[in-house]
Amino acid sequence: MDEFYQDTKKMAKITSDAIFDYWQVEVSVDFARIQYLFEVTDTEGLSILYGDKGCVENSLENFHAIGNGFKLPYLHEIDACKVPDWVSNTVWYQIFPERFANGNALLNPEGSLDWDSSITPQSDDFFGGDLQGIIDHLDYLQELGITGLYLCPIFESTSNHKYNTTDYFEIDRHFGDKETFRELVEQAHQRGMKIMLDAVFNHIGSQSPQWQDVVKNGKESAYKDWFHIQQFPVMTEKLANKRELPYHAFGFEDYMPKLNTANPEVKDYLLKVATYWIEEFDIDAWRLDVANEIDHQFWKDFRKAVLAKKPDLYILGEVWHTAQPWLNGDEFHAVMNYPLSDSIKEYFLRGVKKTDQFIDEINGQSMYYKQQISEVMFNLLDSHDTERIL
C-alpha cells in the first residue's frame, strides 16, 4: 500500500448460511490497481492481518509490508465480468414448440394426434405444434407480461423434442420455414420480446448426414473424428446393454452420438451455426444444452464468436449444479438455476426441508457467483426436463 493512498473501510455482514457469514465492502481506486489486507479483530480486542501470505501480527510494519497484501496489479476493463443490460428485467416464457399451439395444420407430421385428444401423450407422439402457433399467441404472451421467449430446439430433427439434430441450418419442416421464423422474431421484437434459441452442440442426431457417413464408411469416413468412437463399426443392433455402445453418446442414447467439440472442423461448423442465426435472423440469446459436457475451450471460443456478432447477446448454459467454472466472465453469462428451484420445491412442496435449512440454502446460493451474474440467472420453477410445478 502506497502510504499516500491508504484507506481503511469497515466491512458489513450481508448474509449467512449454514457454514459461512458473508461480509462485503465497496471500494474505488484511483490508479486501476489495488492491494488490500483484512484486519480481523476478536471480541477481546486482539487483531491480526490476513493477506496473501496468510495471517500475520497486526503491526505497522506488517501493515505497510508490500508482500503481505492481496494484489490486483492492474484492473483491465477487458477482463471485467460483463452481462447484457436487458436480461435482469426479462420475464422468460419457455416454449416446447411441438406442444404449444398448432397454427398451420398443413405442416402436421404424419399420424399427428388431435390437439384436444383425451389420450395420455407418449414420448413419441406428435400433436402438430409449430412456429405459426407461437406467432398467433404473441399478443396473449404480451398480456401475460412476457418479455423473452425461450424456444426448445426448432432445427430439423426426427423426434418431437428435437434434441437429436439432423440439420442445424434448417427449421424443422413440421415447425415451418425460415420465413416463418423470421416473422416470429420480427413480431416478437415489435412487442419488445427477445428470442432465445436452444443450441444442442454436445451431440447430433443419428440421422444427420455426418453420422450416416460414419455408419456407411466406418474408418474411411471423413467424419470419423467428429465423434468419440471407441471401435468400428458403430452398429448397435445386437447390444445387450446400451452402456456398451461403441461410441460416446448423450445419456447412452444411441441416436444422439456425442460430438468431438475439440476437433477444429467440428468447432468451426458449430460456430458457423451459432453466428448464422444471429446474423440472418437477429436472435437475442442462445441456451446451451448439456453445457457442462462440452470442453471449456469450445465455450470460450463460442463466446468470442457470438459476441463479435451481437455484443449484448445472452449466453445461458444448462448446468444443473454449482457452475462457477463456467461463470468467470469468459464463457456463459448465467446458467439455468436448478439449485434454486430444487430448494423451493423441497421446502414449499415436498416439505423435506426445515425453514432454517431453506433460508441457509437460499442465502448460500445468492453468494455463489458475482453479483452481476446472479442478476441475470435463469431462475425457474420447472422446465421440459422436470415435472410441472403443479
Side-chain angles (χ1 to χ4, degrees):
M1 292 182 184
D2 188 313
E3 60 183 329
F4 298 108
Y5 299 99
Q6 179 182 310
D7 196 8
T8 302
K9 285 183 178 285
K10 195 167 185 178
M11 303 187 78
K13 186 168 80 169
I14 54 171
T15 195
S16 300
D17 62 22
I19 303 173
F20 299 111
D21 291 333
Y22 296 89
W23 298 73
Q24 183 173 290
V25 67
E26 192 171 300
V27 298
S28 58
V29 295
D30 294 318
F31 299 104
R33 65 191 75 206
I34 188 172
Q35 181 182 182
Y36 59 95
L37 289 157
F38 295 99
E39 181 181 8
V40 185
T41 305
D42 69 9
T43 53
E44 308 270 307
L46 296 172
S47 70
I48 56 167
L49 298 176
Y50 170 57
D52 196 45
K53 294 186 174 181
C55 296
V56 295
E57 181 188 359
N58 186 1
S59 66
L60 206 58
E61 183 183 354
N62 282 334
F63 190 74
H64 288 289
I66 204 74
N68 278 348
F70 293 107
K71 297 169 189 65
L72 296 171
Y74 196 87
L75 303 170
H76 291 274
E77 190 177 346
I78 196 172
D79 289 331
C81 182
K82 297 185 177 73
V83 298
D85 292 338
W86 56 270
V87 182
S88 61
N89 295 317
T90 301
V91 180
W92 292 100
Y93 188 99
Q94 181 181 355
I95 291 179
F96 191 86
E98 217 286 318
R99 291 291 192 274
F100 180 68
N102 188 339
N104 183 354
L106 296 176
L107 300 176
N108 286 9
E110 190 177 343
S112 289
L113 300 175
D114 181 65
W115 197 265
D116 298 317
S117 170
S118 59
I119 298 169
T120 302
Q122 302 300 313
S123 60
D124 54 358
D125 287 341
F126 289 87
F127 283 82
D130 52 36
L131 297 181
Q132 187 60 50
I134 302 172
I135 294 170
D136 294 344
H137 287 79
L138 286 176
D139 287 341
Y140 155 73
L141 292 166
Q142 189 174 16
E143 287 169 14
L144 287 180
I146 302 305
T147 55
L149 300 180
Y150 155 38
L151 309 183
C152 286
I154 61 171
F155 307 134
E156 191 66 52
S157 170
T158 57
S159 65
N160 56 21
H161 56 71
K162 309 297 176 196
Y163 282 95
N164 54 322
T165 314
T166 302
D167 188 343
Y168 293 96
F169 288 101
E170 292 297 333
I171 300 291
D172 188 88
R173 67 198 73 180
H174 300 302
F175 287 170
D177 56 22
K178 289 180 178 176
E179 288 315 304
T180 314
F181 180 62
R182 190 181 305 280
E183 184 187 353
L184 169 58
V185 176
E186 289 173 355
Q187 291 274 346
H189 285 173
Q190 285 172 21
R191 291 168 173 80
M193 295 179 184
K194 305 289 189 178
I195 297 287
M196 177 158 64
L197 292 187
D198 210 326
V200 189
F201 291 168
N202 174 68
H203 50 273
I204 200 168
S206 60
Q207 297 306 307
S208 63
Q210 295 91 337
W211 184 251
Q212 284 300 308
D213 193 278
V214 173
V215 171
K216 180 182 176 184
N217 298 310
K219 288 181 181 177
E220 304 308 312
S221 171
Y223 297 101
K224 69 178 174 64
D225 294 329
W226 277 46
F227 304 95
H228 299 269
I229 299 171
Q230 270 69 59
Q231 61 189 68
F232 293 94
V234 293
M235 305 305 177
T236 61
E237 285 83 357
K238 296 178 181 177
L239 288 182
N241 185 338
K242 65 181 184 178
R243 291 178 181 264
E244 296 171 3
L245 280 176
Y247 53 90
H248 291 169
F250 171 67
F252 301 102
E253 297 290 349
D254 64 347
Y255 73 103
M256 292 191 274
K258 182 176 175 66
L259 286 164
N260 177 12
T261 46
N263 179 323
E265 287 181 19
V266 175
K267 180 183 289 190
D268 185 55
Y269 171 72
L270 294 176
L271 295 185
K272 280 193 172 84
V273 172
T275 53
Y276 172 78
W277 294 95
I278 300 168
E279 288 184 299
E280 295 296 322
F281 299 92
D282 197 26
I283 66 164
D284 305 288
W286 277 114
R287 180 262 187 186
L288 312 173
D289 187 59
V290 206
N292 55 343
E293 294 189 27
I294 294 177
D295 62 278
H296 288 282
Q297 292 304 317
F298 177 84
W299 290 131
K300 292 178 199 295
D301 289 342
F302 174 92
R303 181 187 178 102
K304 289 175 186 172
V306 297
L307 295 188
K309 300 297 180 186
K310 192 166 187 172
D312 68 341
L313 186 107
Y314 178 45
I315 305 169
L316 174 69
E318 182 202 11
V319 180
W320 288 57
H321 47 81
T322 311
Q324 185 59 59
W326 294 270
L327 296 174
N328 289 313
D330 57 353
E331 294 185 47
F332 313 154
H333 293 122
V335 293
M336 300 178 79
N337 202 352
Y338 281 108
L340 174 67
S341 59
D342 288 343
S343 293
I344 290 170
K345 285 187 275 195
E346 286 175 355
Y347 180 61
F348 287 102
L349 301 185
R350 303 185 188 114
V352 296
K353 290 277 166 71
K354 294 189 172 76
T355 302
D356 57 349
Q357 285 179 299
F358 173 67
I359 292 169
D360 284 342
E361 285 181 11
I362 297 297
N363 288 347
Q365 289 166 14
S366 73
M367 294 288 104
Y368 277 172
Y369 312 118
K370 292 181 172 74
Q371 182 179 328
Q372 59 268 48
I373 283 175
S374 293
E375 288 173 357
V376 297
M377 288 292 276
F378 192 86
N379 296 324
L380 69 167
L381 291 175
D382 58 17
S383 74
H384 62 296
D385 282 323
T386 71
E387 69 277 77
R388 285 291 179 98
I389 190 71
L390 278 173

